Amino acid sequence: MIWEALGAVIVGFAIALSARRWLPERFPAPALTLATGPVAALLGALLTRSILGPGHPVQVMVAALAVGSALLSVLVRPPRRRSRPRSQAAPLKGHRTAC
């Protein structure tokens, strides 16, 4: 049990590190990302172990990887768009404008 939990934390930390390395601008805070990965993977591993029971270490690690990745994807922000100067909209027909 302890080895599965430790393995899940290591898997989650590896997921978080690789996410921060490949997409640093899309994750809000490094500390939040690096904390969410191991906690999410541990949650996935413990949930899978409680459902399957002991004796399924491969399935537990796969579930830790899947849950860790899924919960880290919740933190991803959309890419920033280039800011273009806004053009002024044309006035509506029949609408009075203040001059």
Side-chain angles (χ1 to χ4, degrees):
M1 169 81 180
I2 190 73
W3 295 110
E4 288 177 354
L6 184 62
V9 169
I10 291 171
V11 165
F13 193 65
I15 294 168
L17 280 176
S18 62
R20 285 289 305 155
R21 183 173 182 187
W22 286 333
L23 299 168
E25 69 280 353
R26 304 270 308 265
F27 285 95
L32 180 64
T33 304
L34 294 177
T36 301
V39 170
L42 184 62
L43 175 70
L46 293 177
L47 184 64
T48 305
R49 182 174 167 88
S50 68
I51 292 170
L52 295 179
H56 299 89
V58 175
Q59 290 87 350
V60 169
M61 287 301 126
V62 169
L65 180 72
V67 173
S69 299
L71 288 181
L72 270 176
S73 72
V74 174
L75 297 178
V76 176
R77 286 190 272 179
R80 292 186 181 181
R81 297 181 187 174
R82 294 182 194 164
S83 61
R84 292 183 284 171
R86 294 185 180 184
S87 61
Q88 292 189 358
L92 298 174
K93 278 188 173 180
H95 189 338
R96 296 182 190 179
T97 58
C99 293

